[in-house]
Amino acid sequence: MRTVYRTAGGSLALAAALLLFCIAPAGAEPRFSFATTPGKLPKDVVPRHYALRIVPAPTYDRFDGEAVIDIEVARPVPVIVVNAAELSFKSVKLRASGGGETSLAPSVDPRRETVTLTPATAPIAPGSYRLSIDYSGKIGKHPQGLYQIAYKERDRGRLVDKLMLATQMEPVQARRLFPGWDEPVFRASFDIVAVIDAPLTAVSNMPQSRVELRPDGRKEVSFARSVPMPTYLVALFVGEMDLLEDSVDGIRLGIHTVKGKRERARYAMEATKQIVRYFNGYFGEPYPLSKLDQIALPGGIGGAMENWGAIAYNEGRFLYDPGEDSLRQQQAAYGIIAHEIAHQWFGNLVTMAWWDNLWLNEGFASWMASKTTERFNPSWGMRLRDALWKETALAEDARRTTHPIQTPVENDTRAMDVFDSITYAKGAAVLRMLEGYLGEDVFRAGVRGYMRAHRFSSTTTADFWHHLSAASSQDIGKLVAGWTEQPGYPVVKVLQQCENGAAAVTLAQERFTLNDPGAVPLAWNVPVILADGAGARRTVLLEREPQKLGFERCGAMLANAGDTGYYRSQYDDRNFGRLVPALQGLPAPDRLRLLSDTFALAQAGRVDATRYLALVENLGAETDRTIWDQVTGALRFLRELIDSRGDQAVFDRYIARLLETPFARVGWDARPGEAADAALLRRSLIEALGRAGHGAVVREAQSRFAARAKKAIDPAIRPAVLNVTGRYADEATFEALLERMRSATDMSDKWEAQAALRQVRDPRLLQRLMELMLTDELPPSDAVFNLTHIGEDSGRVEIVWRFVLEHLPAILAKASARGRPHVLPDAASAFSDAARAEELIALTRTHLDATALYQAEKGADWIRLKAAVKAREARRAIDWAQARLGPAQIGSREIPPPLPVKERPSPRNGEKG
């Protein structure tokens, strides 16, 4: 849940943005209307208030519930239809405001996740009613509805198993906790009561209003009435927790952790105070609740959830201890906190009416988190990291399976399909461009008007355009709708012709695609910033027709200077030849953009992969870790297309030769006065060199792992050291990593150990690991994730694929309903043979329902792309590598054997090593 696309500052970026939004397709969506908002549920019965009473069983596997819902019936209706999933109904009664009561008969539709409530006689007349439902439900192990989290706590040197309860409602899981109107357009207030064991803590959206002890030793915890909100924001957490408290701008702040971790929440608290204060000022609407709790969960969700007033995080993403954790952990914590708190306005105060406008939540929160991180932590260089993150959207947006930012969601159970990089990263890029077009002050005025007009209500994208139009005195909807309603993006082709020292440059655009020859031709208004070798810049709007412009000097001509545009650039051979030696002198955003575009062009078959490799060879003294991350990712992509073991060894040695130089500059250990992100570069290079089998790096990683009891591994490089050690593990090392996973009491430690185990290449150990994942050793979601990613991480995709198919029923049974569509695509993702794509689709049709086909098609499309690139580029990449290695370097690769690993006692509470 990181962020976002950025524009350059100053008049140049403004000039580019002013040219940006001149043409838009017809048919932009209308402004919000409750009656026309999509959804399964009829709009003639609406909830106004829920009173919920939740009583978990002591075994934490089921609960009893009571829901008393005040409703308004707008016209005579024969039935009431609400959402419910895996709930058992005991009684349903409807009482009119005049006092009459009748029983309703429930009829459950498990496929649609609805229940129809039918009176015995006449239709239900218009008016106000109270709907009372007694029911029961399941408490599962997956993060959907009310679920349990199993974790370990160290108590006086012993590991103790613990359980806590948490909720995850977004997008459509509230119906697993209570029957109701589980669509975002239906807002209502909530009174929540939970009956729990007396020593435990309960946290919900609002402050506790009353606690009563019961004769049975339990207690009844009541929470104050909430503001009107959609069901997906309802939250309840129960467990043994410590509390860190503070306040900001009159708002009570609380961070809840499991026992013993409160002190590690202090950084998160300081970040929260800074962020809330800034957002209160920026939005012009103060945070509307009296408290903001944040809960650090020891498992369950992998990221975070913006429950109003009770934000949930996986503790591995949220907690940061300056004495123990790395800069990467600090950056991740700040970014995710800013993202989730931004949702308290974008999403909670103002909510998208339906899932087709999810970007109004996620694109906005991503953009705002990036803006905030950059404002308060300028030394982190997040602009460049965001540019690399934007690449995930550019890659997905070029494929056959792409979709517009605003994309129809016909069925609420398909809502998870749009939680992707296009919604997040491309959505944030559009907002950044808009802000540059209007200027920060005008843009903020539009945001404030939007918040003020629609607080505690729902919107569509057209509502946001309306308020930006009012603030700017321009028709923003007409100008910009194409960027959210049209899929994909262009490649700008730059042709330079030189005569008498002057340059004539021709710009033309076409839709950029990856292995999608049948894509519909589209055109955009593209703001192109051209920079020549002398530093002169020109900003033009490229429309459907090509444009020609002149420069006084001929030289290396760069498009998208400053990386302000959402497009690719392609150069004629002569101009590219000028850019290659000029690479080192370009600003970092331009170096990254040139590398990223060139590699994407090679994937698309527009240029050879050797064009990209020539750029990499000219990086020289490059020290930026983001640029090296782009390079190592691209080299890994090419390496995984090579089938022959001998050719793999050649390309691995080529990778090692490329990376030895930057690694020699940073070394294994921090040096006085080094740049803040040197440690992050160090970690990336150790990982890449170890994966390539660099003997010295592998031996040093093994040595540091073996000595960890005497000298703790530097947290900045520990994940890389563990991954390299795991990749070449023998049985003793494998057992040590298993013990590390089993004894971990922090999620970050557990994740590190699991990641290292997924690297294991020894087939026998790999078999043991996969069999372990079929047991109850790990929570089911974690087990399924590991099983479906072992193949890619270890490089043993064929072994793992066979295992997954042999045990597919058991794996699908472990997966959650929302996770099942990802099982086969994730397990197959490392393949690069087109036949595997067809196999993936066939298996999905056989073993899963139609809702899984979209993810399968995305996975198959990725495999087909790799197969196409392999057919064109694998041999060229191998030949390139061979030509640049000396004869002594092309010999057979020999990985050093693992060092012996001594047994060590389990670490003390909080100790890392």
Side-chain angles (χ1 to χ4, degrees):
M1 302 180 75
R2 304 244 299 259
T3 50
V4 50
Y5 175 72
R6 299 193 179 268
T7 59
S11 59
L12 192 62
L14 177 60
L18 284 168
L19 295 169
L20 182 58
F21 308 106
C22 298
I23 298 174
E29 71 169 348
R31 297 187 64 190
F32 169 66
S33 164
F34 177 79
T36 60
T37 296
K40 289 178 184 174
L41 301 182
K43 302 292 194 301
D44 39 28
V45 181
V46 297
R48 299 302 183 194
H49 176 71
Y50 293 81
L52 303 178
R53 178 183 172 86
I54 307 298
V55 186
T59 51
Y60 278 8
D61 60 347
R62 60 179 181 82
F63 67 92
D64 291 320
E66 300 172 15
V68 179
I69 311 170
D70 294 336
I71 61 174
E72 297 286 340
V73 179
R75 65 176 182 84
V77 294
V79 297
I80 296 172
V81 182
V82 297
N83 290 116
E86 296 189 316
L87 300 180
S88 298
F89 290 82
K90 302 175 182 177
S91 70
V92 183
K93 304 209 178 273
L94 185 68
R95 178 180 292 275
S97 56
E101 184 175 88
T102 184
S103 294
L104 304 180
S107 176
V108 176
D109 186 336
R111 185 182 63 83
R112 290 175 55 83
E113 297 186 338
T114 59
V115 58
T116 300
L117 307 174
T118 306
T121 54
I124 301 168
S128 299
Y129 294 84
R130 177 160 288 176
L131 178 64
S132 300
I133 305 175
D134 286 349
Y135 63 99
S136 62
K138 300 176 181 179
I139 299 176
K141 297 180 180 181
H142 293 289
Q144 50 189 33
L146 182 65
Y147 69 101
Q148 61 172 251
I149 300 173
Y151 66 101
K152 295 182 186 296
E153 187 177 283
R154 197 166 293 282
D155 182 14
R156 289 172 290 187
R158 294 186 308 111
L159 281 176
V160 180
D161 291 325
K162 297 284 186 178
L163 285 177
M164 72 177 299
L165 296 181
T167 53
Q168 171 62 34
M169 305 304 201
E170 191 181 32
V172 292
Q173 306 298 341
R175 61 193 67 176
R176 297 179 183 277
L177 180 61
F178 57 91
W181 284 257
D182 195 17
E183 296 176 355
V185 75
F186 293 102
R187 299 177 77 101
S189 55
F190 288 81
D191 286 326
I192 297 176
V193 175
V195 178
I196 62 174
D197 292 343
L200 302 182
T201 299
V203 182
S204 187
N205 304 89
M206 301 300 291
Q208 293 184 2
S209 59
R210 187 177 68 255
V211 178
E212 295 183 20
L213 291 175
R214 292 161 36 115
D216 62 1
R218 307 187 86 190
K219 64 183 178 184
E220 187 170 289
V221 181
S222 302
F223 298 92
R225 179 164 296 191
S226 77
V227 296
M229 62 184 182
T231 51
Y232 79 85
L233 295 175
V234 171
L236 178 63
F237 305 93
V238 178
E240 300 176 36
M241 292 184 265
D242 286 339
L243 173 63
L244 179 66
E245 291 187 284
D246 209 323
S247 65
V248 62
D249 292 352
I251 304 160
R252 186 191 69 76
L253 302 177
I255 295 180
H256 300 262
T257 71
V258 296
K259 294 291 185 180
K261 298 184 181 179
R262 177 173 54 196
E263 293 306 305
R264 293 183 59 200
R266 292 198 178 277
Y267 174 78
M269 180 63 81
E270 293 306 308
T272 297
K273 290 159 63 177
Q274 184 181 68
I275 292 165
V276 169
R277 189 179 294 116
Y278 175 54
F279 287 176
N280 276 339
Y282 184 90
F283 294 124
E285 288 287 328
Y287 177 77
L289 306 186
S290 62
K291 65 94 172 176
L292 174 58
D293 281 317
Q294 297 176 97
I295 302 92
L297 300 175
I301 57 174
M305 176 59 207
E306 64 266 21
N307 313 301
W308 212 347
I311 303 172
Y313 303 85
N314 188 295
E315 66 173 27
R317 310 286 188 200
F318 179 71
L319 300 179
Y320 168 72
D321 184 337
E324 294 188 359
D325 296 319
S326 67
L327 174 62
R328 181 177 289 196
Q329 179 70 8
Q330 182 184 11
Q331 293 173 346
Y334 193 96
I336 202 169
I337 293 167
H339 184 106
E340 300 307 323
I341 295 179
H343 272 310
Q344 307 302 294
W345 285 264
F346 286 121
N348 298 8
L349 184 62
V350 181
T351 307
M352 87 260 140
W354 183 244
W355 302 107
D356 53 1
N357 274 299
L358 178 65
W359 87 286
L360 290 175
N361 287 17
E362 299 300 349
F364 272 79
S366 298
W367 163 76
M368 197 67 194
S370 176
K371 184 180 182 72
T372 306
T373 303
E374 186 180 16
R375 176 186 178 92
F376 291 110
N377 305 280
S379 66
W380 287 356
M382 295 307 292
R383 179 172 179 267
L384 207 58
R385 295 306 295 178
D386 290 343
L388 188 59
W389 186 54
K390 182 179 69 174
E391 280 299 307
T392 62
L394 288 165
E396 187 166 356
D397 205 14
R399 289 163 53 192
R400 183 176 57 85
T401 50
T402 189
H403 60 82
I405 290 175
Q406 292 175 257
T407 193
V409 178
E410 303 298 335
N411 188 313
D412 59 2
T413 59
R414 300 293 303 278
M416 279 304 298
D417 286 342
V418 294
F419 282 78
D420 61 13
S421 62
I422 294 171
T423 296
Y424 284 70
K426 185 179 180 181
V430 169
L431 291 173
R432 178 64 73 178
M433 289 191 291
L434 264 174
E435 185 184 38
Y437 165 60
L438 296 174
E440 289 194 33
D441 291 342
V442 172
F443 187 82
R444 183 172 62 179
V447 170
R448 286 179 168 182
Y450 172 76
M451 289 288 170
R452 185 167 53 251
H454 301 285
R455 63 196 307 268
F456 303 115
S457 186
S458 301
T459 62
T460 69
T461 298
D463 293 300
F464 185 57
W465 298 159
H466 170 81
H467 290 284
L468 287 181
S469 298
S472 64
S473 301
Q474 302 177 63
D475 188 347
I476 300 299
K478 182 179 179 181
L479 299 177
V480 76
W483 285 93
T484 59
E485 296 180 8
Q486 183 168 276
Y489 59 90
V491 55
V492 174
K493 304 176 81 171
V494 183
L495 173 64
Q496 181 180 200
Q497 294 177 310
C498 298
E499 186 173 348
N500 298 324
V505 178
T506 302
L507 301 177
Q509 66 156 301
E510 58 190 52
R511 184 174 179 181
F512 181 80
T513 62
L514 292 170
N515 201 38
D516 186 17
V520 176
L522 297 170
W524 292 258
N525 294 305
V526 188
V528 180
I529 302 176
L530 281 172
D532 66 14
R537 292 196 173 194
R538 184 83 60 83
T539 302
V540 298
L541 177 70
L542 177 61
E543 300 179 80
R544 187 178 298 271
E545 297 303 319
Q547 289 195 29
K548 294 185 178 181
L549 55 154
F551 282 78
E552 293 182 357
R553 297 181 57 180
C554 195
M557 191 67 62
L558 183 77
N560 200 7
D563 194 17
T564 61
Y566 186 81
Y567 61 90
R568 303 285 188 196
S569 302
Q570 182 175 357
Y571 304 94
D572 64 83
D573 291 344
R574 183 169 294 181
N575 190 37
F576 184 80
R578 296 187 183 102
L579 286 168
V580 172
L583 180 65
Q584 297 178 43
L586 297 176
D590 294 334
R591 299 199 301 275
L592 180 62
R593 176 55 39 220
L594 186 58
L595 284 160
S596 298
D597 284 354
T598 305
F599 187 68
L601 292 168
Q603 289 179 309
R606 291 174 176 266
V607 300
D608 294 349
T610 56
R611 178 170 284 199
Y612 172 79
L613 295 172
L615 272 181
V616 174
E617 293 278 357
N618 279 271
L619 282 173
E622 180 63 65
T623 59
D624 192 284
R625 62 113 172 183
T626 301
I627 289 173
W628 281 115
D629 282 350
Q630 192 284 330
V631 170
T632 56
L635 293 174
R636 178 171 173 177
F637 177 91
L638 292 173
R639 164 61 169 77
E640 291 177 352
L641 304 181
I642 300 171
D643 294 327
S644 160
R645 293 184 64 184
D647 290 339
Q648 289 171 354
V650 168
F651 202 75
D652 282 339
R653 291 187 181 282
Y654 174 68
I655 292 172
R657 184 184 73 81
L658 282 174
L659 302 184
E660 281 175 336
T661 300
F663 185 59
R665 285 193 290 268
V666 295
W668 278 91
D669 300 301
R671 299 169 182 177
E674 71 178 11
D677 66 350
L680 302 175
L681 174 59
R682 183 177 295 118
R683 168 179 165 175
S684 296
L685 293 174
I686 291 170
E687 176 103 30
L689 284 164
R691 191 172 189 88
H694 189 283
V697 168
V698 173
R699 283 190 293 271
E700 181 63 19
Q702 292 170 334
S703 176
R704 291 183 180 228
F705 182 74
R708 68 198 181 281
K710 296 179 180 178
K711 183 180 180 181
I713 305 169
D714 179 0
I717 63 171
R718 186 174 57 231
V721 169
L722 294 181
N723 285 354
V724 174
T725 303
R727 191 168 187 79
Y728 308 105
D730 62 3
E731 188 160 357
T733 305
F734 180 80
E735 292 294 342
L737 289 170
L738 275 181
E739 172 57 23
R740 189 180 184 89
M741 180 188 76
R742 288 166 169 159
S743 63
T745 58
D746 291 340
M747 281 306 304
S748 56
D749 290 344
K750 186 173 293 187
W751 282 340
E752 286 178 2
Q754 290 177 24
L757 287 164
R758 290 198 304 271
Q759 308 293 321
V760 170
R761 288 183 56 77
D762 183 310
R764 185 176 55 83
L765 298 176
L766 204 58
Q767 182 73 19
R768 282 186 56 195
L769 179 62
M770 292 188 291
E771 290 172 352
L772 185 68
M773 293 300 111
L774 294 179
T775 70
D776 294 329
E777 178 82 23
L778 293 178
S781 295
D782 290 359
V784 171
F785 178 88
N786 282 298
L787 268 173
T788 55
H789 288 78
I790 289 171
E792 181 177 13
D793 289 352
S794 68
R796 302 293 196 187
V797 60
E798 185 63 48
I799 294 174
V800 177
W801 180 247
R802 289 201 303 267
F803 184 91
V804 168
L805 296 188
E806 288 169 8
H807 300 87
L808 188 57
I811 296 170
L812 292 175
K814 267 187 175 290
S816 66
R818 60 195 279 185
R820 280 182 209 117
H822 296 271
V823 167
L824 288 168
D826 286 356
S829 66
F831 283 123
S832 58
D833 295 306
R836 296 297 192 176
E838 306 314 314
E839 182 183 11
L840 169 59
I841 297 298
L843 286 166
T844 301
R845 292 185 186 278
T846 300
H847 295 282
L848 294 158
D849 62 32
T851 61
L853 278 174
Y854 177 65
Q855 294 301 330
E857 288 288 353
K858 287 177 71 173
D861 190 60
W862 174 241
I863 295 169
R864 293 187 193 105
L865 169 63
K866 291 197 292 180
V869 178
K870 179 165 73 172
R872 291 192 314 266
E873 304 298 337
R875 188 69 254 167
R876 265 196 285 260
I878 296 162
D879 291 345
W880 175 278
Q882 286 177 325
R884 279 147 187 83
L885 293 173
Q889 295 176 293
I890 300 180
S892 61
R893 184 177 61 161
E894 183 178 344
I895 301 301
L899 295 179
V901 177
K902 296 181 179 179
E903 292 299 321
R904 62 179 178 86
S906 298
R908 295 185 298 276
N909 187 29
E911 182 179 312
K912 296 183 180 181

